[in-house]
Amino acid sequence: MVMSENNEGRFPSEIVVAYEYCNLGGVATIFKNRVSALREFGCTIPFRFIFNKDNGGAPDLVRLSGVTVEIANSDDFPAHVAASVTGIDVPVIVIDNPKLFEAIKSVAQHVFYEVHTSIPKALGAMQMADFSSVEKMLCVSNWVKERIEQLRVRVDIEKIDVVGNFVETALFSPPEPGDRPASPGGRRPVIWIGKLNHDKGVHEFQNIVRLIGDLDVDVTFVTGGGLLPVAVSEFLSFVTVMGRRLPVRWLHNLDHGSVSALMKSCALGRGILVSTSRFESFGLAVLEAMQTGVPVVAAGVGGLLELLDGCPDLLYECGDIVDADRKIRCLLADTESYSDAVSRVLAGAARYNRDAAVRSYARFLGFAIDDVHGFLP
């Protein structure tokens, strides 16, 4: 990729990232991790994020140096972004929006595309676009790349890079040997993280909670993104009723530090994370749990099959809540099984090395990270 000269050599004046929703967690967190790591490697290129709606993710991003966030609130987001990037000689990264890619590919000079979605309808929409002019396309897992190939999306396969996500080791790491749980001998934590929608399997997890209601556990739902009043009303009814049998709490739009503290507390309490997603391109929350030493019981879908490759016994068939219940009980009842699961999830998380991933991402954008000279064009 050739770009105009500036005071720092052949670096672009900025990198533009365009995505529909600025949710706390998900894509916003992924880019927070990436930009933070790139800064440590000496990258000073400003990042300009253009979102259409803010669902709580903007504050985490704007805390980073050299980052600006624009919330468009536009009825025609593709047209808004096209007007913003027309003619500029910088990388423009489009995320999960084929219509947006079509709108800007003829007006922006260096368009990259990232696939983070796992929703069949959203992946299928890529068939309607022509990605032959894309500079590079990024998939967050081999599973996503395979779906693109199966759908015969119009893109040169040689332009596709698979770059997994990573989490900050400073935030997500196992408890220290001297750490003690807040309530020694208390209930075992069970955490679920997602959105209050069908795709994340919130109703499936509610049914699992009903099954494990006889166990000595406390359950925490952590949600993010927008909330529909009907979904909230229905969920609060469940929390009220289920709360008569065991402790159930609901936390919404936690910042990254709070999620880290929750995971650490879960590890100290020898708890687990449960993932009921029906579709998953990667599984960032699962990786955060794994890197903290929290075993995960998950529906075996999408990128989670790669993430939990060394833990097939922790996977259940999506929708089979009886098997999920059995696996949860086994982990919580058997000290040896639990300790073995902790060792295996930590080993699995180690495969998603932060430094290796950020180097791969720099290569995706056409840059390099040299051990001696740092970030290079």
PDB file of all heavy atoms in Angstrom, residues 174-207:
ATOM      1  N   PRO A 174      -4.621 -15.054  35.717  1.00  0.00           N
ATOM      2  CA  PRO A 174      -5.058 -15.848  36.871  1.00  0.00           C
ATOM      3  C   PRO A 174      -4.764 -15.147  38.184  1.00  0.00           C
ATOM      4  O   PRO A 174      -3.840 -14.326  38.275  1.00  0.00           O
ATOM      5  CB  PRO A 174      -4.231 -17.143  36.734  1.00  0.00           C
ATOM      6  CG  PRO A 174      -3.776 -17.181  35.325  1.00  0.00           C
ATOM      7  CD  PRO A 174      -3.617 -15.752  34.899  1.00  0.00           C
ATOM      8  N   PRO A 175      -5.533 -15.443  39.207  1.00  0.00           N
ATOM      9  CA  PRO A 175      -5.259 -14.856  40.533  1.00  0.00           C
ATOM     10  C   PRO A 175      -3.867 -15.236  41.018  1.00  0.00           C
ATOM     11  O   PRO A 175      -3.328 -16.288  40.659  1.00  0.00           O
ATOM     12  CB  PRO A 175      -6.343 -15.489  41.421  1.00  0.00           C
ATOM     13  CG  PRO A 175      -7.415 -15.944  40.481  1.00  0.00           C
ATOM     14  CD  PRO A 175      -6.716 -16.316  39.214  1.00  0.00           C
ATOM     15  N   GLU A 176      -3.292 -14.362  41.828  1.00  0.00           N
ATOM     16  CA  GLU A 176      -2.002 -14.661  42.434  1.00  0.00           C
ATOM     17  C   GLU A 176      -2.183 -15.697  43.542  1.00  0.00           C
ATOM     18  O   GLU A 176      -3.265 -15.811  44.130  1.00  0.00           O
ATOM     19  CB  GLU A 176      -1.385 -13.388  43.007  1.00  0.00           C
ATOM     20  CG  GLU A 176      -1.054 -12.326  41.961  1.00  0.00           C
ATOM     21  CD  GLU A 176       0.015 -12.791  40.992  1.00  0.00           C
ATOM     22  OE1 GLU A 176       0.901 -13.563  41.426  1.00  0.00           O
ATOM     23  OE2 GLU A 176      -0.037 -12.389  39.808  1.00  0.00           O
ATOM     24  N   PRO A 177      -1.123 -16.470  43.842  1.00  0.00           N
ATOM     25  CA  PRO A 177      -1.244 -17.524  44.864  1.00  0.00           C
ATOM     26  C   PRO A 177      -1.783 -17.032  46.203  1.00  0.00           C
ATOM     27  O   PRO A 177      -2.498 -17.752  46.899  1.00  0.00           O
ATOM     28  CB  PRO A 177       0.194 -18.032  44.997  1.00  0.00           C
ATOM     29  CG  PRO A 177       0.818 -17.751  43.663  1.00  0.00           C
ATOM     30  CD  PRO A 177       0.203 -16.463  43.199  1.00  0.00           C
ATOM     31  N   GLY A 178      -1.459 -15.787  46.578  1.00  0.00           N
ATOM     32  CA  GLY A 178      -1.899 -15.287  47.871  1.00  0.00           C
ATOM     33  C   GLY A 178      -3.295 -14.690  47.884  1.00  0.00           C
ATOM     34  O   GLY A 178      -3.829 -14.352  48.943  1.00  0.00           O
ATOM     35  N   ASP A 179      -3.903 -14.551  46.707  1.00  0.00           N
ATOM     36  CA  ASP A 179      -5.247 -13.958  46.636  1.00  0.00           C
ATOM     37  C   ASP A 179      -6.272 -14.866  47.290  1.00  0.00           C
ATOM     38  O   ASP A 179      -6.175 -16.095  47.237  1.00  0.00           O
ATOM     39  CB  ASP A 179      -5.640 -13.705  45.184  1.00  0.00           C
ATOM     40  CG  ASP A 179      -4.821 -12.600  44.540  1.00  0.00           C
ATOM     41  OD1 ASP A 179      -4.187 -11.845  45.289  1.00  0.00           O
ATOM     42  OD2 ASP A 179      -4.830 -12.501  43.294  1.00  0.00           O
ATOM     43  N   ARG A 180      -7.265 -14.250  47.878  1.00  0.00           N
ATOM     44  CA  ARG A 180      -8.330 -15.007  48.531  1.00  0.00           C
ATOM     45  C   ARG A 180      -9.683 -14.522  48.021  1.00  0.00           C
ATOM     46  O   ARG A 180      -9.858 -13.335  47.743  1.00  0.00           O
ATOM     47  CB  ARG A 180      -8.268 -14.824  50.054  1.00  0.00           C
ATOM     48  CG  ARG A 180      -7.031 -15.443  50.697  1.00  0.00           C
ATOM     49  CD  ARG A 180      -7.134 -16.963  50.697  1.00  0.00           C
ATOM     50  NE  ARG A 180      -5.982 -17.579  51.339  1.00  0.00           N
ATOM     51  CZ  ARG A 180      -4.878 -17.948  50.704  1.00  0.00           C
ATOM     52  NH1 ARG A 180      -4.787 -17.741  49.397  1.00  0.00           N
ATOM     53  NH2 ARG A 180      -3.887 -18.517  51.360  1.00  0.00           N
ATOM     54  N   PRO A 181     -10.652 -15.434  47.910  1.00  0.00           N
ATOM     55  CA  PRO A 181     -11.992 -15.004  47.468  1.00  0.00           C
ATOM     56  C   PRO A 181     -12.611 -14.056  48.482  1.00  0.00           C
ATOM     57  O   PRO A 181     -12.290 -14.084  49.675  1.00  0.00           O
ATOM     58  CB  PRO A 181     -12.771 -16.325  47.389  1.00  0.00           C
ATOM     59  CG  PRO A 181     -12.026 -17.277  48.273  1.00  0.00           C
ATOM     60  CD  PRO A 181     -10.584 -16.873  48.192  1.00  0.00           C
ATOM     61  N   ALA A 182     -13.498 -13.200  47.966  1.00  0.00           N
ATOM     62  CA  ALA A 182     -14.154 -12.216  48.837  1.00  0.00           C
ATOM     63  C   ALA A 182     -14.964 -12.907  49.921  1.00  0.00           C
ATOM     64  O   ALA A 182     -15.058 -12.434  51.052  1.00  0.00           O
ATOM     65  CB  ALA A 182     -15.042 -11.307  48.004  1.00  0.00           C
ATOM     66  N   SER A 183     -15.557 -14.058  49.572  1.00  0.00           N
ATOM     67  CA  SER A 183     -16.375 -14.806  50.532  1.00  0.00           C
ATOM     68  C   SER A 183     -15.910 -16.261  50.559  1.00  0.00           C
ATOM     69  O   SER A 183     -16.496 -17.123  49.892  1.00  0.00           O
ATOM     70  CB  SER A 183     -17.862 -14.733  50.162  1.00  0.00           C
ATOM     71  OG  SER A 183     -18.287 -13.400  50.074  1.00  0.00           O
ATOM     72  N   PRO A 184     -14.830 -16.574  51.299  1.00  0.00           N
ATOM     73  CA  PRO A 184     -14.327 -17.947  51.333  1.00  0.00           C
ATOM     74  C   PRO A 184     -15.417 -18.927  51.755  1.00  0.00           C
ATOM     75  O   PRO A 184     -16.164 -18.677  52.709  1.00  0.00           O
ATOM     76  CB  PRO A 184     -13.210 -17.885  52.380  1.00  0.00           C
ATOM     77  CG  PRO A 184     -12.812 -16.443  52.434  1.00  0.00           C
ATOM     78  CD  PRO A 184     -14.071 -15.677  52.171  1.00  0.00           C
ATOM     79  N   GLY A 185     -15.520 -20.031  51.031  1.00  0.00           N
ATOM     80  CA  GLY A 185     -16.515 -21.036  51.357  1.00  0.00           C
ATOM     81  C   GLY A 185     -17.916 -20.687  50.910  1.00  0.00           C
ATOM     82  O   GLY A 185     -18.874 -21.382  51.248  1.00  0.00           O
ATOM     83  N   GLY A 186     -18.055 -19.593  50.166  1.00  0.00           N
ATOM     84  CA  GLY A 186     -19.374 -19.161  49.721  1.00  0.00           C
ATOM     85  C   GLY A 186     -19.850 -19.897  48.488  1.00  0.00           C
ATOM     86  O   GLY A 186     -19.304 -20.925  48.084  1.00  0.00           O
ATOM     87  N   ARG A 187     -20.886 -19.361  47.877  1.00  0.00           N
ATOM     88  CA  ARG A 187     -21.455 -19.966  46.677  1.00  0.00           C
ATOM     89  C   ARG A 187     -20.480 -19.887  45.508  1.00  0.00           C
ATOM     90  O   ARG A 187     -19.693 -18.960  45.412  1.00  0.00           O
ATOM     91  CB  ARG A 187     -22.765 -19.263  46.323  1.00  0.00           C
ATOM     92  CG  ARG A 187     -23.899 -19.511  47.315  1.00  0.00           C
ATOM     93  CD  ARG A 187     -25.122 -18.705  46.962  1.00  0.00           C
ATOM     94  NE  ARG A 187     -26.249 -19.020  47.820  1.00  0.00           N
ATOM     95  CZ  ARG A 187     -27.172 -19.944  47.534  1.00  0.00           C
ATOM     96  NH1 ARG A 187     -27.093 -20.621  46.406  1.00  0.00           N
ATOM     97  NH2 ARG A 187     -28.166 -20.171  48.368  1.00  0.00           N
ATOM     98  N   ARG A 188     -20.596 -20.834  44.585  1.00  0.00           N
ATOM     99  CA  ARG A 188     -19.750 -20.873  43.401  1.00  0.00           C
ATOM    100  C   ARG A 188     -20.329 -19.930  42.337  1.00  0.00           C
ATOM    101  O   ARG A 188     -21.512 -20.030  41.973  1.00  0.00           O
ATOM    102  CB  ARG A 188     -19.668 -22.301  42.846  1.00  0.00           C
ATOM    103  CG  ARG A 188     -19.209 -23.341  43.865  1.00  0.00           C
ATOM    104  CD  ARG A 188     -17.726 -23.270  44.121  1.00  0.00           C
ATOM    105  NE  ARG A 188     -16.947 -23.771  43.005  1.00  0.00           N
ATOM    106  CZ  ARG A 188     -16.708 -25.068  42.786  1.00  0.00           C
ATOM    107  NH1 ARG A 188     -17.217 -26.006  43.585  1.00  0.00           N
ATOM    108  NH2 ARG A 188     -15.972 -25.441  41.762  1.00  0.00           N
ATOM    109  N   PRO A 189     -19.526 -19.025  41.797  1.00  0.00           N
ATOM    110  CA  PRO A 189     -20.039 -18.080  40.799  1.00  0.00           C
ATOM    111  C   PRO A 189     -20.302 -18.759  39.451  1.00  0.00           C
ATOM    112  O   PRO A 189     -19.509 -19.593  38.995  1.00  0.00           O
ATOM    113  CB  PRO A 189     -18.909 -17.054  40.666  1.00  0.00           C
ATOM    114  CG  PRO A 189     -17.999 -17.290  41.838  1.00  0.00           C
ATOM    115  CD  PRO A 189     -18.128 -18.735  42.169  1.00  0.00           C
ATOM    116  N   VAL A 190     -21.392 -18.378  38.811  1.00  0.00           N
ATOM    117  CA  VAL A 190     -21.711 -18.790  37.438  1.00  0.00           C
ATOM    118  C   VAL A 190     -22.031 -17.508  36.664  1.00  0.00           C
ATOM    119  O   VAL A 190     -22.967 -16.786  37.019  1.00  0.00           O
ATOM    120  CB  VAL A 190     -22.900 -19.763  37.379  1.00  0.00           C
ATOM    121  CG1 VAL A 190     -23.246 -20.101  35.923  1.00  0.00           C
ATOM    122  CG2 VAL A 190     -22.592 -21.040  38.152  1.00  0.00           C
ATOM    123  N   ILE A 191     -21.242 -17.226  35.638  1.00  0.00           N
ATOM    124  CA  ILE A 191     -21.369 -15.972  34.897  1.00  0.00           C
ATOM    125  C   ILE A 191     -21.837 -16.248  33.475  1.00  0.00           C
ATOM    126  O   ILE A 191     -21.419 -17.220  32.839  1.00  0.00           O
ATOM    127  CB  ILE A 191     -20.015 -15.221  34.858  1.00  0.00           C
ATOM    128  CG1 ILE A 191     -19.575 -14.838  36.278  1.00  0.00           C
ATOM    129  CG2 ILE A 191     -20.099 -13.970  33.991  1.00  0.00           C
ATOM    130  CD1 ILE A 191     -18.181 -14.231  36.322  1.00  0.00           C
ATOM    131  N   TRP A 192     -22.680 -15.359  32.975  1.00  0.00           N
ATOM    132  CA  TRP A 192     -23.099 -15.365  31.567  1.00  0.00           C
ATOM    133  C   TRP A 192     -22.908 -13.959  31.025  1.00  0.00           C
ATOM    134  O   TRP A 192     -23.284 -12.979  31.686  1.00  0.00           O
ATOM    135  CB  TRP A 192     -24.558 -15.785  31.448  1.00  0.00           C
ATOM    136  CG  TRP A 192     -25.112 -15.819  30.048  1.00  0.00           C
ATOM    137  CD1 TRP A 192     -25.131 -16.888  29.202  1.00  0.00           C
ATOM    138  CD2 TRP A 192     -25.759 -14.742  29.343  1.00  0.00           C
ATOM    139  NE1 TRP A 192     -25.738 -16.561  28.014  1.00  0.00           N
ATOM    140  CE2 TRP A 192     -26.125 -15.237  28.069  1.00  0.00           C
ATOM    141  CE3 TRP A 192     -26.047 -13.413  29.656  1.00  0.00           C
ATOM    142  CZ2 TRP A 192     -26.777 -14.448  27.122  1.00  0.00           C
ATOM    143  CZ3 TRP A 192     -26.685 -12.629  28.713  1.00  0.00           C
ATOM    144  CH2 TRP A 192     -27.048 -13.148  27.457  1.00  0.00           C
ATOM    145  N   ILE A 193     -22.326 -13.824  29.827  1.00  0.00           N
ATOM    146  CA  ILE A 193     -22.088 -12.509  29.220  1.00  0.00           C
ATOM    147  C   ILE A 193     -22.681 -12.493  27.812  1.00  0.00           C
ATOM    148  O   ILE A 193     -22.419 -13.392  27.011  1.00  0.00           O
ATOM    149  CB  ILE A 193     -20.580 -12.195  29.146  1.00  0.00           C
ATOM    150  CG1 ILE A 193     -19.988 -12.133  30.564  1.00  0.00           C
ATOM    151  CG2 ILE A 193     -20.330 -10.875  28.419  1.00  0.00           C
ATOM    152  CD1 ILE A 193     -18.499 -11.873  30.609  1.00  0.00           C
ATOM    153  N   GLY A 194     -23.472 -11.476  27.510  1.00  0.00           N
ATOM    154  CA  GLY A 194     -24.062 -11.387  26.170  1.00  0.00           C
ATOM    155  C   GLY A 194     -25.074 -10.272  26.066  1.00  0.00           C
ATOM    156  O   GLY A 194     -25.093  -9.336  26.875  1.00  0.00           O
ATOM    157  N   LYS A 195     -25.915 -10.357  25.060  1.00  0.00           N
ATOM    158  CA  LYS A 195     -27.004  -9.410  24.861  1.00  0.00           C
ATOM    159  C   LYS A 195     -28.325 -10.109  25.155  1.00  0.00           C
ATOM    160  O   LYS A 195     -28.420 -11.338  25.057  1.00  0.00           O
ATOM    161  CB  LYS A 195     -27.005  -8.873  23.424  1.00  0.00           C
ATOM    162  CG  LYS A 195     -25.749  -8.109  23.042  1.00  0.00           C
ATOM    163  CD  LYS A 195     -25.795  -7.701  21.578  1.00  0.00           C
ATOM    164  CE  LYS A 195     -24.507  -6.997  21.160  1.00  0.00           C
ATOM    165  NZ  LYS A 195     -24.491  -6.666  19.716  1.00  0.00           N
ATOM    166  N   LEU A 196     -29.324  -9.314  25.482  1.00  0.00           N
ATOM    167  CA  LEU A 196     -30.644  -9.895  25.763  1.00  0.00           C
ATOM    168  C   LEU A 196     -31.361 -10.198  24.458  1.00  0.00           C
ATOM    169  O   LEU A 196     -32.376  -9.585  24.119  1.00  0.00           O
ATOM    170  CB  LEU A 196     -31.480  -8.940  26.620  1.00  0.00           C
ATOM    171  CG  LEU A 196     -30.993  -8.703  28.057  1.00  0.00           C
ATOM    172  CD1 LEU A 196     -31.979  -7.808  28.802  1.00  0.00           C
ATOM    173  CD2 LEU A 196     -30.822 -10.027  28.803  1.00  0.00           C
ATOM    174  N   ASN A 197     -30.819 -11.146  23.721  1.00  0.00           N
ATOM    175  CA  ASN A 197     -31.470 -11.515  22.459  1.00  0.00           C
ATOM    176  C   ASN A 197     -31.327 -13.004  22.186  1.00  0.00           C
ATOM    177  O   ASN A 197     -30.591 -13.732  22.868  1.00  0.00           O
ATOM    178  CB  ASN A 197     -30.924 -10.684  21.290  1.00  0.00           C
ATOM    179  CG  ASN A 197     -29.444 -10.911  21.014  1.00  0.00           C
ATOM    180  OD1 ASN A 197     -28.894 -11.974  21.286  1.00  0.00           O
ATOM    181  ND2 ASN A 197     -28.787  -9.907  20.456  1.00  0.00           N
ATOM    182  N   HIS A 198     -32.025 -13.438  21.157  1.00  0.00           N
ATOM    183  CA  HIS A 198     -32.075 -14.858  20.810  1.00  0.00           C
ATOM    184  C   HIS A 198     -30.716 -15.385  20.381  1.00  0.00           C
ATOM    185  O   HIS A 198     -30.330 -16.508  20.728  1.00  0.00           O
ATOM    186  CB  HIS A 198     -33.108 -15.054  19.696  1.00  0.00           C
ATOM    187  CG  HIS A 198     -33.245 -16.467  19.221  1.00  0.00           C
ATOM    188  ND1 HIS A 198     -33.783 -17.465  20.006  1.00  0.00           N
ATOM    189  CD2 HIS A 198     -32.894 -17.053  18.040  1.00  0.00           C
ATOM    190  CE1 HIS A 198     -33.776 -18.605  19.328  1.00  0.00           C
ATOM    191  NE2 HIS A 198     -33.244 -18.380  18.137  1.00  0.00           N
ATOM    192  N   ASP A 199     -29.962 -14.582  19.633  1.00  0.00           N
ATOM    193  CA  ASP A 199     -28.687 -15.053  19.089  1.00  0.00           C
ATOM    194  C   ASP A 199     -27.690 -15.406  20.180  1.00  0.00           C
ATOM    195  O   ASP A 199     -26.870 -16.310  20.009  1.00  0.00           O
ATOM    196  CB  ASP A 199     -28.082 -13.998  18.156  1.00  0.00           C
ATOM    197  CG  ASP A 199     -28.910 -13.800  16.890  1.00  0.00           C
ATOM    198  OD1 ASP A 199     -29.689 -14.712  16.547  1.00  0.00           O
ATOM    199  OD2 ASP A 199     -28.791 -12.729  16.258  1.00  0.00           O
ATOM    200  N   LYS A 200     -27.718 -14.683  21.290  1.00  0.00           N
ATOM    201  CA  LYS A 200     -26.804 -14.977  22.397  1.00  0.00           C
ATOM    202  C   LYS A 200     -27.360 -16.046  23.338  1.00  0.00           C
ATOM    203  O   LYS A 200     -26.696 -16.429  24.304  1.00  0.00           O
ATOM    204  CB  LYS A 200     -26.494 -13.699  23.185  1.00  0.00           C
ATOM    205  CG  LYS A 200     -25.617 -12.713  22.413  1.00  0.00           C
ATOM    206  CD  LYS A 200     -24.256 -13.313  22.081  1.00  0.00           C
ATOM    207  CE  LYS A 200     -23.368 -12.343  21.340  1.00  0.00           C
ATOM    208  NZ  LYS A 200     -22.066 -12.948  20.960  1.00  0.00           N
ATOM    209  N   GLY A 201     -28.573 -16.522  23.059  1.00  0.00           N
ATOM    210  CA  GLY A 201     -29.122 -17.638  23.820  1.00  0.00           C
ATOM    211  C   GLY A 201     -29.497 -17.299  25.247  1.00  0.00           C
ATOM    212  O   GLY A 201     -29.392 -18.149  26.134  1.00  0.00           O
ATOM    213  N   VAL A 202     -29.982 -16.071  25.480  1.00  0.00           N
ATOM    214  CA  VAL A 202     -30.299 -15.684  26.852  1.00  0.00           C
ATOM    215  C   VAL A 202     -31.399 -16.558  27.440  1.00  0.00           C
ATOM    216  O   VAL A 202     -31.346 -16.940  28.623  1.00  0.00           O
ATOM    217  CB  VAL A 202     -30.675 -14.183  26.929  1.00  0.00           C
ATOM    218  CG1 VAL A 202     -31.940 -13.876  26.125  1.00  0.00           C
ATOM    219  CG2 VAL A 202     -30.822 -13.740  28.380  1.00  0.00           C
ATOM    220  N   HIS A 203     -32.389 -16.934  26.636  1.00  0.00           N
ATOM    221  CA  HIS A 203     -33.459 -17.796  27.156  1.00  0.00           C
ATOM    222  C   HIS A 203     -32.933 -19.201  27.458  1.00  0.00           C
ATOM    223  O   HIS A 203     -33.372 -19.850  28.413  1.00  0.00           O
ATOM    224  CB  HIS A 203     -34.625 -17.859  26.160  1.00  0.00           C
ATOM    225  CG  HIS A 203     -35.332 -16.546  25.997  1.00  0.00           C
ATOM    226  ND1 HIS A 203     -35.358 -15.867  24.805  1.00  0.00           N
ATOM    227  CD2 HIS A 203     -36.000 -15.779  26.890  1.00  0.00           C
ATOM    228  CE1 HIS A 203     -36.037 -14.744  24.963  1.00  0.00           C
ATOM    229  NE2 HIS A 203     -36.425 -14.662  26.216  1.00  0.00           N
ATOM    230  N   GLU A 204     -31.985 -19.649  26.656  1.00  0.00           N
ATOM    231  CA  GLU A 204     -31.376 -20.957  26.907  1.00  0.00           C
ATOM    232  C   GLU A 204     -30.655 -20.944  28.253  1.00  0.00           C
ATOM    233  O   GLU A 204     -30.761 -21.902  29.034  1.00  0.00           O
ATOM    234  CB  GLU A 204     -30.409 -21.313  25.779  1.00  0.00           C
ATOM    235  CG  GLU A 204     -29.816 -22.700  25.887  1.00  0.00           C
ATOM    236  CD  GLU A 204     -29.086 -23.102  24.620  1.00  0.00           C
ATOM    237  OE1 GLU A 204     -29.682 -22.989  23.528  1.00  0.00           O
ATOM    238  OE2 GLU A 204     -27.921 -23.532  24.720  1.00  0.00           O
ATOM    239  N   PHE A 205     -29.937 -19.860  28.518  1.00  0.00           N
ATOM    240  CA  PHE A 205     -29.239 -19.801  29.801  1.00  0.00           C
ATOM    241  C   PHE A 205     -30.231 -19.687  30.956  1.00  0.00           C
ATOM    242  O   PHE A 205     -30.009 -20.261  32.033  1.00  0.00           O
ATOM    243  CB  PHE A 205     -28.252 -18.637  29.841  1.00  0.00           C
ATOM    244  CG  PHE A 205     -27.454 -18.601  31.122  1.00  0.00           C
ATOM    245  CD1 PHE A 205     -26.616 -19.646  31.457  1.00  0.00           C
ATOM    246  CD2 PHE A 205     -27.574 -17.532  32.007  1.00  0.00           C
ATOM    247  CE1 PHE A 205     -25.890 -19.637  32.650  1.00  0.00           C
ATOM    248  CE2 PHE A 205     -26.856 -17.513  33.197  1.00  0.00           C
ATOM    249  CZ  PHE A 205     -26.011 -18.571  33.511  1.00  0.00           C
ATOM    250  N   GLN A 206     -31.315 -18.963  30.767  1.00  0.00           N
ATOM    251  CA  GLN A 206     -32.329 -18.902  31.819  1.00  0.00           C
ATOM    252  C   GLN A 206     -32.845 -20.305  32.149  1.00  0.00           C
ATOM    253  O   GLN A 206     -33.028 -20.648  33.329  1.00  0.00           O
ATOM    254  CB  GLN A 206     -33.481 -18.006  31.367  1.00  0.00           C
ATOM    255  CG  GLN A 206     -33.117 -16.530  31.335  1.00  0.00           C
ATOM    256  CD  GLN A 206     -34.219 -15.671  30.739  1.00  0.00           C
ATOM    257  OE1 GLN A 206     -35.324 -16.129  30.500  1.00  0.00           O
ATOM    258  NE2 GLN A 206     -33.905 -14.417  30.489  1.00  0.00           N
ATOM    259  N   ASN A 207     -33.037 -21.118  31.124  1.00  0.00           N
ATOM    260  CA  ASN A 207     -33.497 -22.499  31.366  1.00  0.00           C
ATOM    261  C   ASN A 207     -32.423 -23.328  32.058  1.00  0.00           C
ATOM    262  O   ASN A 207     -32.734 -24.195  32.890  1.00  0.00           O
ATOM    263  CB  ASN A 207     -33.910 -23.149  30.052  1.00  0.00           C
ATOM    264  CG  ASN A 207     -35.214 -22.586  29.511  1.00  0.00           C
ATOM    265  OD1 ASN A 207     -36.075 -22.169  30.286  1.00  0.00           O
ATOM    266  ND2 ASN A 207     -35.362 -22.568  28.202  1.00  0.00           N
TER     267      ASN A 207
END
